[in-house]
Amino acid sequence: MPDRKESARLADHAQIEGLADDLLPALIAKLGASGLAELEVREGDWKVRLRRPTDGGSSTTRSATGRAAARAAQAHADHAHGDHGQVDHGGSEQAGSETATNPYRTAATSPAVGVYHPKAEVTSGSRVRAGDRIGSVDVLGIPQEVVAPVNGIVGAAMVESGDAVEYGQELVWIELIATTAERSGRDA
Amino acid sequence: MPDRKESARLADHAQIEGLADDLLPALIAKLGASGLAELEVREGDWKVRLRRPTDGGSSTTRSATGRAAARAAQAHADHAHGDHGQVDHGGSEQAGSETATNPYRTAATSPAVGVYHPKAEVTSGSRVRAGDRIGSVDVLGIPQEVVAPVNGIVGAAMVESGDAVEYGQELVWIELIATTAERSGRDA
Amino acid sequence: MFAKILIANRGEIAVRILRACRTLGVEAVVAYSEADRDSLAVQLADEAICIGPADAKRSYLSAPAVISAAIVTGCDAIHPGYGFLSEDEGFAEVVRAHQLTFIGPPPQVLERFASKEATRRLLGAQGLATIPGSNGMLRDDLHALEEAERIGYPVLIKPSAGGGGKGMRMVRTPRELESAVKICRSEARAAFGDDSLYLEKWLEDNRHVEVQVAVDRFGHGVHLGERDCSVQRRHQKFLEEAPTPALGEAARAELAERAIKAVVAAGYENVGTLEFLVDGSGNAYFIEINCRIQVEHPVTEMLTGIDLVVAQIRIAAGEPLGFSQADVTLRGHAIEFRINAEDVEHDFRPSTGLVERYLAPGGPGVRVDSHLFTGYEVPPFYDSLLGKLIVWGPDRPAAIARALAALDELVIDGVVTNVKIHQALLRNETFLAGQMTTNLVDRVGAGAFLAAGAR
Amino acid sequence: MFAKILIANRGEIAVRILRACRTLGVEAVVAYSEADRDSLAVQLADEAICIGPADAKRSYLSAPAVISAAIVTGCDAIHPGYGFLSEDEGFAEVVRAHQLTFIGPPPQVLERFASKEATRRLLGAQGLATIPGSNGMLRDDLHALEEAERIGYPVLIKPSAGGGGKGMRMVRTPRELESAVKICRSEARAAFGDDSLYLEKWLEDNRHVEVQVAVDRFGHGVHLGERDCSVQRRHQKFLEEAPTPALGEAARAELAERAIKAVVAAGYENVGTLEFLVDGSGNAYFIEINCRIQVEHPVTEMLTGIDLVVAQIRIAAGEPLGFSQADVTLRGHAIEFRINAEDVEHDFRPSTGLVERYLAPGGPGVRVDSHLFTGYEVPPFYDSLLGKLIVWGPDRPAAIARALAALDELVIDGVVTNVKIHQALLRNETFLAGQMTTNLVDRVGAGAFLAAGAR
């Protein structure tokens, strides 16, 4: 989806703040008092929904039984956050959520599906610039370059040399040397 | 579900209020700024979800094509308000939503599926007490009593004499003679 | 054909009947209780009407509510589905009294086959072997004791009305008999409003095999083969298949032919099912007839390609069957799995809840008849059937392979189901060998089945 | 049998292949692009691996990415589905070079049938009538003009590689020919990386009838009857049915028998489809062979009960077919409706979006092969196929009645689909009379169809 106009944004803010102030207390009272599973209220174009915890635990496990549980969980997470079709984060959920929560590091990802080989000279602590070659992924014998996505310092590796990796998989952390500007930008 | 203990209620309140104060502003900012369709945040056992309006209009119509659109809408509305399994309001959506928004009137509903006949003496403006017989629904020739649900004054009729009605259908409004106590009770 | 049909049922069968009406191009009205306002049948219906509160006695079991709903919506026929009012000849009689058609056998036919004990004598006279049983209904405890003595223990106490295991007890000694009769009488009274009981000789290790028939108003009748319903827990079927592994091709054909000959001669009309117990040596004893569409009817539809609900409606409308026995070909093997909202790890206690995510399996030879959808709240007021998974394959092993894949594919998040017991069965050697008997799950214990399946 | 199969495709066919693997008890790995991370195939898969970005050229069309994925996940075979790499003999060759099996015909067979023009000569020599066409590929404009003159206008320009209407033009006069050839060459080059073209005599009002065959490594071959794919828009099939209403039973059997005899003699292997054009007088001209599983394969599965994807995998694994022509019985009538994310009211432009609510139809004789689920986001990067509704009935009218009910039941909220054109077709007299020809929808205009259907 394209980014939306400032005016629309402000309208959204007003509407949602309205929801929060006027409707939430009523919702809280109603849901707290009743035995309902969930409550939803519309205000203009917006909805607020409160849901009482349902025992989905066992069943979720069930749904992932005999399947790539991590993958299913990933899919769920994507849904829960509503960023349907947004796939610019690769790799396992664990890594994915880390990047989401820690704005001061970013991961170098695999350019292809194959076997990973880090560059010998590049070890934890080495300083790298965006675009520097820090390793390669071997695809049917042809090496594909792995490059540092940002300026920073090589941090913990998430996969070992010789491991099979998929496209977009996070390989190694690059610790950012972040400026305040960058930070506030991320927190916005 | 059984009614839950006061302590649990208070805990719920605390958790939800926490959500409202801490998380909602962040949510608002994130959603306002991004192009996401919806956002959800978990706090302990609870979730808050904000959803941007999606163009479901045409498609909803599609889903109701050749079906009882009103009924479908009713079903949708029930979902939207999240009161799954709670079915104590009958009748058309229009009427249903009215009661939801106007706390100073309530409707006498049909005790059965059949043909409605209001009591001749009971007309708009007549004062009735809860339990008074105000009409009947004819089921295979056997009349079933329609009674006033509350003390009040008979208001607008929603169906005519001789109309076929379903169980729980709203028949006629009873305007409440509300006390402040009742009101605040309703608004809580 | 009818102009408009009232569907007086709920859950998957209401959806199934609605589909049959659509195929026939007949209008349909879904009658629902307040608890089913959001149900799939109501959502899919062209027209729906609320007939009462959640309590079935005041909605789906209320003859006045159902008939009144049919009248005010301008229906000329009522489809009762299964359970509820589907085998109540009194209801069928009142329906006719209001110039409406009951979709099922005509009242006089229902009446003739209302008493199981009388039906055994009726069809016994038409050449069907029956189980040694009591001479008429049990008048009192003394009569019960005498008859049990004469038949020889163990005996099965059965209610004349209804089915589904209620009011049924197996008794091995005179000592147990009196109390068992008392319990069965009250169960039968509560469930069917009729506490008359009879006795049947209890066959150890029997198989439950039933023959599907369809007979039109003109006495043209066909059988559609048999089904094996030996997989039961506490007299409740939960897996059905066809053909039965218990009998060879010749024996199956002979049983089905004897069954259709007998019911036609006895004047049966519309679709119906003759239930038999088959003993270890392959002898088939007639036990009862079901005068309705059955939960497991899709098993037969998969083999024959014939729509049984459509046939049922056509026959009730007075149309000829439209096909002959020669047109009925049985192809391959089919298995139906009843997906119930039951917690198999806690004595199969019923579960309810919000279906947060529903993904139905699919692909060739896979059919799911269900009223589930993502966001559906399973109400606590009715039976625990969430739907039926039916798989077909060219042969039994192929059907079983598909079933394993399909059960693994099925996702019902938010509600505990009995899928585990089905998966356990499909890994059970007795089942794989086609050796299931009606008492096996109870004798071995469901727990043991699950444990073995988990291995 | 294989130990582990890589599924190198997406959408409904990835799910279909996964189901076949489950039925066979073979492990499967779903290879997916970043755009398909949340897809149903990935959710259902035991194992899945991301092979590239949304752009198909760097994922589903990238031979190195697919083969590398197969190697790192320990697969011994690759199923290409349809489209993408499914008919690329070069890919099949590289797959074999890496000691993996390509699930489809072996490379040398693919190569033999790679050129449509050569295939016409090959099978023509085996007794299949072919359409008068150019003598080999078109060398230049002069050659094209000479050949068109010889064949006689109107002529159809066709690319040697690929399919799906790209690089195809019908030409009525020499004046149109040169520019049309230029356009077709560039289209063909862009779509298939091969711009060689040939000419075919254009048959007005023809029917598209295709014969499904399966041949194992030991030269045992069977046909599984034919399909009619005459319902097309701009050379794109969107409804397929069997049996074809164009030919009588004897003519259908004869066509199928000639087809299987010819391909077996020509050394074909695995499942495949021979496409014919049938003219007004019922003459069938062979035009091309498809060496893959086809979108419309379920139509044949409904009639025969044979799982074509399972057969395809078994044959590729070197197993014998396991059944003979005598075991292939064709029962009833089946119709497949391609459900596309297309806005029929705006020139069928592709649509995308979030599926807010998905309810699939069901009941007897209804099958839905789809990758949809409530909450699925339809990505904009690939073809518009959302799934396929397949209905079966004892005869064509019964199948049509079921189709109307099923299409009305289908709910896909949030994405615009082409359901309306199907509903219009089912009310179109030419279709109901079984008289559709491949050019009809384009000649009448889709808009006119919709308007007529709305009436």
Side-chain angles (χ1 to χ4, degrees):
Chain A
M1 274 176 268
D3 265 12
R4 302 165 65 244
K5 289 222 190 57
E6 185 58 21
S7 59
R9 258 188 64 188
L10 294 173
D12 289 343
H13 285 219
Q15 277 191 309
I16 307 178
E17 249 130 18
L19 281 181
D21 302 346
D22 311 334
L23 290 166
L24 218 63
L27 268 175
I28 292 165
K30 183 131 185 258
L31 191 58
S34 77
L36 297 185
E38 75 178 57
L39 267 176
E40 193 172 88
V41 170
R42 296 157 189 259
E43 174 79 38
D45 289 327
W46 289 89
K47 289 191 202 164
V48 165
R49 171 186 297 166
L50 296 176
R51 181 184 299 151
R52 185 185 300 288
T54 49
D55 174 25
S58 62
S59 46
T60 307
T61 324
R62 158 76 189 87
S63 78
T65 298
R67 306 199 178 108
R71 220 165 277 286
Q74 175 66 57
H76 276 196
D78 292 352
H79 280 298
H81 300 110
D83 54 348
H84 302 286
Q86 180 186 324
V87 289
D88 54 7
H89 55 69
S92 72
E93 172 169 49
Q94 175 270 332
S97 45
E98 262 222 68
T99 34
T101 54
N102 182 342
Y104 308 122
R105 69 200 319 199
T106 186
T109 59
S110 171
V113 53
V115 179
Y116 173 60
H117 299 293
K119 204 170 160 198
E121 314 85 273
V122 181
T123 56
S124 181
S126 332
R127 199 175 179 106
V128 290
R129 255 195 240 82
D132 287 358
R133 178 164 173 282
I134 60 174
S136 66
V137 170
D138 193 283
V139 180
L140 307 183
I142 298 129
Q144 311 280 319
E145 282 199 352
V146 176
V147 297
V150 292
N151 300 348
I153 292 153
V154 175
M158 285 171 273
V159 297
E160 312 242 308
S161 181
D163 282 358
V165 295
E166 66 180 352
Y167 175 86
Q169 184 169 339
E170 296 180 327
L171 305 171
V172 55
W173 288 116
I174 307 295
E175 305 295 337
L176 298 182
I177 309 150
T179 70
T180 340
E182 280 173 334
R183 251 174 246 173
S184 59
R186 288 184 150 275
D187 296 348
Chain B
M1 276 175 269
D3 264 11
R4 303 166 62 244
K5 288 221 192 57
E6 185 59 17
S7 61
R9 256 188 67 188
L10 295 173
D12 289 344
H13 285 221
Q15 277 191 306
I16 307 176
E17 251 130 17
L19 282 181
D21 303 347
D22 311 332
L23 290 166
L24 219 62
L27 269 175
I28 292 164
K30 184 123 184 273
L31 190 57
S34 77
L36 297 185
E38 76 179 54
L39 267 178
E40 192 173 86
V41 171
R42 294 157 194 263
E43 173 82 23
D45 289 326
W46 290 89
K47 286 191 204 163
V48 166
R49 173 186 296 168
L50 296 177
R51 183 184 298 150
R52 182 185 302 290
T54 50
D55 172 26
S58 60
S59 44
T60 309
T61 325
R62 157 74 189 87
S63 78
T65 296
R67 307 199 179 105
R71 219 163 274 287
Q74 176 65 58
H76 277 195
D78 290 352
H79 278 299
H81 300 111
D83 55 348
H84 300 286
Q86 181 188 322
V87 287
D88 53 8
H89 55 67
S92 73
E93 172 168 48
Q94 174 269 332
S97 46
E98 262 221 67
T99 34
T101 54
N102 182 343
Y104 308 122
R105 68 197 324 197
T106 187
T109 59
S110 171
V113 53
V115 179
Y116 172 60
H117 298 293
K119 204 169 156 196
E121 317 85 272
V122 181
T123 57
S124 182
S126 334
R127 195 171 184 112
V128 291
R129 256 196 238 78
D132 286 0
R133 176 163 175 282
I134 60 175
S136 66
V137 170
D138 193 283
V139 180
L140 306 184
I142 298 129
Q144 311 281 319
E145 284 201 349
V146 177
V147 297
V150 292
N151 300 348
I153 292 153
V154 174
M158 285 171 272
V159 297
E160 312 241 310
S161 181
D163 283 357
V165 295
E166 66 180 352
Y167 175 87
Q169 184 168 340
E170 295 179 327
L171 304 172
V172 55
W173 288 116
I174 307 296
E175 305 295 337
L176 297 183
I177 311 149
T179 71
T180 339
E182 281 173 329
R183 247 174 248 176
S184 60
R186 290 187 149 272
D187 297 344
Chain C
M1 180 44 65
F2 306 111
K4 203 172 183 185
I5 294 171
L6 186 87
I7 300 171
N9 212 302
R10 62 176 305 282
E12 67 88 20
I13 195 63
V15 175
R16 174 71 184 87
I17 297 163
L18 183 60
R19 286 168 174 159
C21 293
R22 291 253 170 92
T23 314
L24 284 164
V26 175
E27 278 186 79
V29 180
V30 170
Y32 65 94
S33 82
E34 276 186 323
D36 288 327
R37 188 180 295 279
D38 295 344
S39 68
L40 184 61
V42 172
Q43 288 184 49
L44 294 179
D46 305 289
E47 192 176 348
I49 183 163
C50 185
I51 56 170
D55 177 5
K57 282 195 290 307
R58 294 181 54 202
S59 50
Y60 299 113
L61 278 169
S62 164
V66 167
I67 295 169
S68 180
I71 291 168
V72 300
T73 53
C75 292
D76 51 356
I78 297 176
H79 198 307
Y82 50 67
F84 294 133
L85 295 164
S86 61
E87 287 188 293
D88 180 333
E89 72 274 19
F91 172 70
E93 190 46 70
V94 184
V95 169
R96 174 157 65 183
H98 284 84
Q99 287 77 49
L100 303 170
T101 304
F102 174 88
I103 295 176
Q108 70 278 13
V109 174
L110 273 180
E111 177 130 34
R112 187 178 315 149
F113 294 91
S115 151
K116 294 182 191 176
E117 191 272 343
T119 303
R120 286 188 307 162
R121 274 190 273 102
L122 180 62
L123 293 181
Q126 296 297 345
L128 294 187
T130 58
I131 298 182
S134 60
N135 193 345
M137 292 299 124
L138 302 177
R139 291 189 300 277
D140 49 35
D141 292 355
L142 179 62
H143 183 221
L145 284 164
E146 287 168 1
E147 289 295 287
E149 222 37 73
R150 186 173 60 74
I151 300 162
Y153 290 92
V155 295
L156 183 66
I157 306 170
K158 294 183 79 175
S160 177
K166 290 200 180 59
M168 277 171 79
R169 284 281 187 294
M170 190 266 280
V171 170
R172 295 190 178 280
T173 67
R175 215 162 36 65
E176 303 169 51
L177 188 62
E178 285 189 39
S179 60
V181 165
K182 217 171 266 78
I183 296 163
C184 291
R185 279 210 199 278
S186 57
E187 280 186 11
R189 199 179 304 110
F192 322 116
D194 170 2
D195 69 355
S196 46
L197 306 172
Y198 64 99
L199 294 182
E200 227 170 52
K201 172 119 189 79
W202 171 258
L203 302 176
E204 305 282 357
D205 299 331
N206 60 64
R207 321 267 311 220
H208 176 118
V209 177
E210 58 188 27
V211 176
Q212 177 72 56
V213 298
V215 186
D216 67 19
R217 186 160 303 172
F218 314 97
H220 304 306
V222 300
H223 71 76
L224 295 100
E226 87 296 341
R227 294 180 291 255
D228 190 310
C229 313
S230 303
V231 179
Q232 304 183 1
R233 181 180 165 276
R234 303 193 181 161
H235 303 292
Q236 299 273 13
K237 308 168 183 175
F238 64 93
L239 180 153
E240 302 96 350
E241 65 182 312
T244 174
L247 302 170
E249 193 164 353
R252 296 201 306 268
E254 196 229 335
L255 177 64
E257 279 150 25
R258 275 199 286 119
I260 185 60
K261 217 169 125 294
V263 286
V264 170
Y268 186 75
E269 181 179 324
N270 211 305
V271 304
T273 303
L274 286 80
E275 298 192 340
F276 296 84
L277 287 187
V278 176
D279 67 18
S281 7
N283 304 312
Y285 302 95
F286 170 75
I287 42 175
E288 63 181 82
I289 186 167
N290 293 311
C291 304
R292 59 171 193 278
I293 195 73
Q294 283 190 288
V295 174
E296 60 267 29
H297 76 274
V299 170
T300 298
E301 292 179 327
M302 298 294 267
L303 262 58
T304 61
I306 290 164
D307 187 323
L308 285 169
V309 179
V310 163
Q312 185 186 28
I313 296 171
R314 285 213 168 111
I315 293 170
E319 293 184 9
L321 201 49
F323 56 90
S324 71
Q325 192 65 63
D327 302 320
V328 181
T329 58
L330 303 170
R331 179 157 91 172
H333 194 97
I335 311 176
E336 173 181 278
F337 302 83
R338 299 195 189 192
I339 309 301
N340 296 335
E342 293 173 338
D343 185 345
V344 295
E345 270 138 13
H346 296 87
D347 196 33
F348 290 76
R349 71 174 171 213
S351 63
T352 62
L354 173 67
V355 177
E356 292 162 344
R357 189 151 160 271
Y358 172 61
L359 291 178
V366 175
R367 167 179 167 186
V368 178
D369 277 21
S370 173
H371 55 293
L372 292 188
F373 56 88
T374 296
Y376 175 64
E377 177 89 20
V378 177
F381 310 106
Y382 311 107
D383 70 22
S384 61
L385 186 69
L386 296 177
K388 296 146 13 182
L389 165 66
I390 309 102
V391 298
W392 178 93
D395 51 35
R396 192 169 189 259
I400 288 171
R402 277 210 178 123
L404 281 165
L407 286 169
D408 185 41
E409 200 179 313
L410 175 65
V411 176
I412 302 174
D413 286 353
V415 179
V416 181
T417 74
N418 66 338
V419 163
K420 278 209 189 77
I421 190 97
H422 290 306
Q423 290 170 320
L425 264 165
L426 291 177
R427 294 179 172 84
N428 175 278
E429 288 184 0
T430 311
F431 176 79
L432 292 175
Q435 301 293 331
M436 293 295 293
T437 53
T438 54
N439 57 353
L440 196 70
V441 173
D442 294 325
R443 213 182 56 213
V444 176
F449 263 91
L450 291 170
R455 267 195 234 105
Chain D
M1 182 42 65
F2 305 111
K4 204 173 184 185
I5 294 171
L6 186 87
I7 300 172
N9 211 303
R10 62 175 306 281
E12 67 88 20
I13 195 63
V15 175
R16 174 70 184 88
I17 296 163
L18 183 60
R19 284 167 175 160
C21 293
R22 292 253 170 90
T23 314
L24 284 164
V26 176
E27 278 187 78
V29 180
V30 170
Y32 65 95
S33 81
E34 275 186 325
D36 288 328
R37 186 180 297 280
D38 295 345
S39 69
L40 184 60
V42 172
Q43 287 184 50
L44 294 180
D46 305 288
E47 191 178 348
I49 183 165
C50 184
I51 58 170
D55 178 5
K57 280 193 292 309
R58 294 181 55 203
S59 49
Y60 300 112
L61 277 169
S62 164
V66 167
I67 295 167
S68 181
I71 290 167
V72 300
T73 53
C75 292
D76 52 356
I78 297 176
H79 197 309
Y82 50 66
F84 293 132
L85 294 165
S86 62
E87 287 187 293
D88 181 333
E89 72 273 19
F91 173 69
E93 191 44 72
V94 184
V95 169
R96 175 157 67 183
H98 284 85
Q99 287 76 50
L100 303 170
T101 304
F102 174 88
I103 295 176
Q108 70 278 11
V109 174
L110 273 179
E111 179 141 22
R112 186 178 316 148
F113 293 91
S115 151
K116 295 181 191 176
E117 191 273 342
T119 303
R120 285 189 307 162
R121 274 191 272 101
L122 179 62
L123 293 181
Q126 297 296 346
L128 294 187
T130 58
I131 297 180
S134 60
N135 193 345
M137 292 299 125
L138 301 176
R139 291 190 301 278
D140 50 35
D141 292 354
L142 179 61
H143 182 222
L145 283 164
E146 286 168 1
E147 288 297 288
E149 219 41 71
R150 188 173 58 74
I151 299 162
Y153 290 91
V155 295
L156 183 67
I157 306 169
K158 295 183 78 175
S160 177
K166 289 201 179 57
M168 276 171 79
R169 284 281 187 296
M170 190 266 282
V171 171
R172 294 191 178 279
T173 67
R175 214 162 35 64
E176 303 169 51
L177 189 64
E178 283 190 37
S179 61
V181 165
K182 214 171 267 77
I183 295 162
C184 290
R185 279 208 199 281
S186 56
E187 279 186 13
R189 198 180 305 111
F192 321 115
D194 169 2
D195 68 356
S196 45
L197 307 172
Y198 64 99
L199 294 182
E200 228 171 51
K201 171 115 190 87
W202 171 259
L203 303 177
E204 303 283 357
D205 299 330
N206 61 63
R207 321 269 310 221
H208 176 118
V209 177
E210 57 188 27
V211 176
Q212 177 72 57
V213 299
V215 186
D216 67 18
R217 186 159 303 172
F218 314 98
H220 304 307
V222 301
H223 71 76
L224 295 99
E226 87 296 341
R227 295 181 292 256
D228 190 311
C229 313
S230 303
V231 179
Q232 303 183 1
R233 182 180 164 278
R234 304 192 182 162
H235 303 291
Q236 298 272 16
K237 308 168 183 173
F238 64 93
L239 180 152
E240 302 95 348
E241 65 182 312
T244 173
L247 302 171
E249 192 164 356
R252 295 200 306 269
E254 195 228 334
L255 177 63
E257 278 149 26
R258 275 198 287 121
I260 185 62
K261 215 168 125 290
V263 285
V264 169
Y268 186 75
E269 181 180 323
N270 212 305
V271 305
T273 302
L274 288 81
E275 297 192 339
F276 296 84
L277 286 187
V278 175
D279 66 19
S281 8
N283 305 310
Y285 302 96
F286 170 75
I287 42 175
E288 63 180 80
I289 186 167
N290 293 311
C291 304
R292 57 169 196 277
I293 195 74
Q294 284 189 286
V295 175
E296 59 268 29
H297 74 275
V299 170
T300 299
E301 292 180 326
M302 299 294 268
L303 263 58
T304 61
I306 290 164
D307 187 324
L308 285 169
V309 179
V310 163
Q312 186 186 27
I313 296 171
R314 285 214 170 108
I315 293 170
E319 292 184 10
L321 202 49
F323 57 89
S324 71
Q325 193 66 62
D327 301 320
V328 180
T329 58
L330 304 170
R331 178 156 91 173
H333 195 96
I335 311 176
E336 172 181 277
F337 302 83
R338 299 195 190 193
I339 309 301
N340 296 334
E342 293 173 338
D343 185 346
V344 295
E345 271 139 9
H346 296 85
D347 197 32
F348 290 75
R349 71 175 170 213
S351 63
T352 62
L354 172 66
V355 177
E356 291 160 352
R357 188 149 159 273
Y358 172 61
L359 292 178
V366 176
R367 168 179 168 187
V368 178
D369 278 21
S370 174
H371 55 292
L372 293 188
F373 56 88
T374 297
Y376 175 64
E377 176 87 22
V378 177
F381 310 106
Y382 310 107
D383 71 23
S384 62
L385 186 69
L386 296 178
K388 297 150 3 185
L389 165 66
I390 310 102
V391 297
W392 178 94
D395 52 34
R396 192 169 188 260
I400 288 171
R402 279 214 176 116
L404 282 165
L407 285 169
D408 186 42
E409 199 179 314
L410 174 65
V411 176
I412 302 174
D413 286 353
V415 179
V416 181
T417 74
N418 66 338
V419 164
K420 278 209 188 78
I421 189 98
H422 291 307
Q423 289 169 320
L425 264 167
L426 291 178
R427 294 180 172 85
N428 175 277
E429 288 182 3
T430 311
F431 176 80
L432 292 175
Q435 300 294 330
M436 292 296 292
T437 52
T438 55
N439 58 351
L440 196 70
V441 173
D442 293 325
R443 211 183 53 212
V444 176
F449 262 91
L450 291 170
R455 264 194 236 105

